[in-house]
Amino acid sequence: MHDMVATLNKTAGSHADPVSALSRTDGALAVISGVEGSAYRPIGSVMAFLDDRIHVGSLSSGCMEESLAIQAEKARAESIVHHVRYGQGSPWMDIKLPCGAGLDITLWPSNHDTCLKESFHLYTHRIPHSLRLPKHGLQHGLTESLAPAGWSGKDFILPRIPPLQLVVFGTGIETMTFANLAQAAGYATRVMSPDSQVCRALPDAVSLETGMFPSTLEPDAQTAVVFFFHESDHEIRLLPSALDSAAFWIGTQGSRRKREVMREDLKAAGVSIQSLDRLQPRFGTIPSARDPQTLAVSVLADVVSAYKARWFDPYFGQTGTSGS
């Protein structure tokens, strides 16, 4: 499991996590703690302000980050949590939010706080959890089980959900196109293939010499397993282990007829109906995609949509208040 995490983290691109960045240095954590109306980013979105005005993440399309940097400096200098309002009801009329919403931002000053270090450790090992951020500071913040983003009494609950990662099995141009697209979008992607051409084209790809699901591969609940095979022989060997994993999305390339035949073959091999029902009924959001590029976009959109619906809508779609 740890080998897979290390490999996936290596390919995850430059999309840094604000809380993790702040766990290693002094700074301030800025969180959207309340939304009035429709906003560009939801409650629970985070941004970190580090030394030398370096920042990680964003809370808007760029219309308030400069002002937030000043507020972050004040919070750090005073060692006091700051609560600021932008948009509707804000004292700063010169800062306009294109979405027309009102945003409450809470800034917690940090000084190598233990709770952030603990959160970094859990996040690195892909363990979902929440930070409980007291209104008066981070020093007594605690990690706890996953819970919705928002105020709970005088504490703000910040869910920490591992990022989407992809495990891709397949051959041919479809596998290469999808992997390149996913990595370009910043998603950690691991490719396993019996196709030597795929392994040459994708330096990080693993040769699937045995044709069996690697025993060290343990997809977690934020992992999608994607199959790009034209014939079902490989999938018959690989799918039972994938279906027994915690992966939230498992899908296979091919026509409806091919998937129906494969389903019957898997059932005959002893795979339960309950496990088979975990297979995605469709492969992508665009019906009958006929070229590798369209198929890659279609499948990636399907996976990302399912990930957001499964993990973020229940936690980041809440209506919040300023907690005052």
Side-chain angles (χ1 to χ4, degrees):
M1 176 64 175
H2 295 308
D3 290 341
M4 183 184 77
V5 170
T7 301
L8 288 167
N9 286 343
K10 179 180 177 183
T11 62
S14 59
H15 296 243
D17 171 57
V19 175
S20 298
L22 192 58
S23 70
R24 300 186 291 270
T25 185
D26 294 342
L29 182 68
V31 182
I32 295 182
S33 54
V35 175
E36 183 178 344
S38 176
Y40 170 73
R41 300 291 303 277
I43 292 175
S45 298
V46 297
M47 184 174 183
F49 292 90
L50 314 178
D51 290 328
D52 299 323
R53 290 277 180 110
I54 296 172
H55 61 79
V56 179
S58 66
L59 296 183
S60 74
S61 56
C63 48
M64 64 185 188
E65 272 71 6
E66 186 174 346
S67 173
L68 274 174
I70 297 172
Q71 296 300 319
E73 287 294 327
K74 290 181 179 179
R76 292 181 62 184
E78 299 171 5
S79 296
I80 296 175
V81 178
H82 277 221
H83 303 272
V84 295
R85 173 84 171 195
Y86 292 97
Q88 292 183 32
S90 171
W92 298 296
M93 301 304 296
D94 57 326
I95 301 176
K96 302 291 185 181
L97 300 183
C99 55
L103 292 183
D104 293 310
I105 313 292
T106 303
L107 298 106
W108 281 272
S110 169
N111 183 22
H112 289 80
D113 295 282
T114 303
C115 69
L116 296 186
K117 292 181 181 296
E118 185 177 354
S119 179
F120 169 70
H121 175 78
L122 294 173
Y123 194 80
T124 300
H125 289 83
R126 298 187 60 82
I127 300 173
H129 62 284
S130 296
L131 278 171
R132 178 176 289 272
L133 305 176
K135 191 173 182 180
H136 57 271
L138 278 171
Q139 288 77 11
H140 303 291
L142 302 173
T143 55
E144 56 180 35
S145 59
L146 203 59
W151 290 99
S152 175
K154 295 297 183 180
D155 297 333
F156 187 85
I157 306 301
L158 179 65
R160 300 276 288 141
I161 303 168
L164 167 66
Q165 62 183 14
L166 299 129
V167 174
V168 183
F169 293 92
T171 58
I173 187 64
E174 293 87 359
T175 300
M176 292 184 278
T177 303
F178 179 82
N180 284 327
L181 177 65
Q183 290 178 349
Y187 296 111
T189 305
R190 187 174 189 181
V191 177
M192 298 186 176
S193 176
D195 187 340
S196 59
Q197 184 178 359
V198 169
C199 292
R200 286 195 300 270
L202 302 172
D204 291 328
V206 175
S207 177
L208 198 65
E209 296 177 356
T210 65
M212 302 303 292
F213 199 91
S215 59
T216 57
L217 189 62
E218 299 177 18
D220 61 30
Q222 291 78 36
T223 300
V225 184
V226 189
F227 292 88
F228 287 98
F229 291 109
H230 291 279
E231 304 295 334
S232 60
D233 293 349
H234 290 290
E235 292 160 329
I236 296 298
R237 293 192 294 271
L238 295 166
L239 269 169
S241 295
L243 292 170
D244 282 342
S245 76
F248 78 96
W249 194 99
I250 304 168
T252 63
Q253 176 183 329
S255 66
R256 180 181 298 178
R257 175 60 182 161
K258 177 208 167 186
R259 290 201 292 274
E260 288 175 352
V261 171
M262 183 180 63
R263 184 183 174 97
E264 291 303 314
D265 289 341
L266 287 166
K267 190 192 303 183
V271 178
S272 69
I273 297 296
Q274 183 178 9
S275 292
L276 289 172
D277 286 344
R278 298 192 62 217
L279 278 171
Q280 293 297 310
R282 67 181 187 186
F283 194 63
T285 61
I286 303 173
S288 302
R290 303 280 182 186
D291 62 87
Q293 293 79 15
T294 302
L295 181 63
V297 171
S298 174
V299 174
L300 186 59
D302 203 354
V303 170
V304 173
S305 177
Y307 170 75
K308 295 293 185 182
R310 172 67 180 85
W311 290 107
F312 280 74
D313 284 356
Y315 301 111
F316 280 25
Q318 306 294 315
T319 300
T321 63
S322 65
S324 58

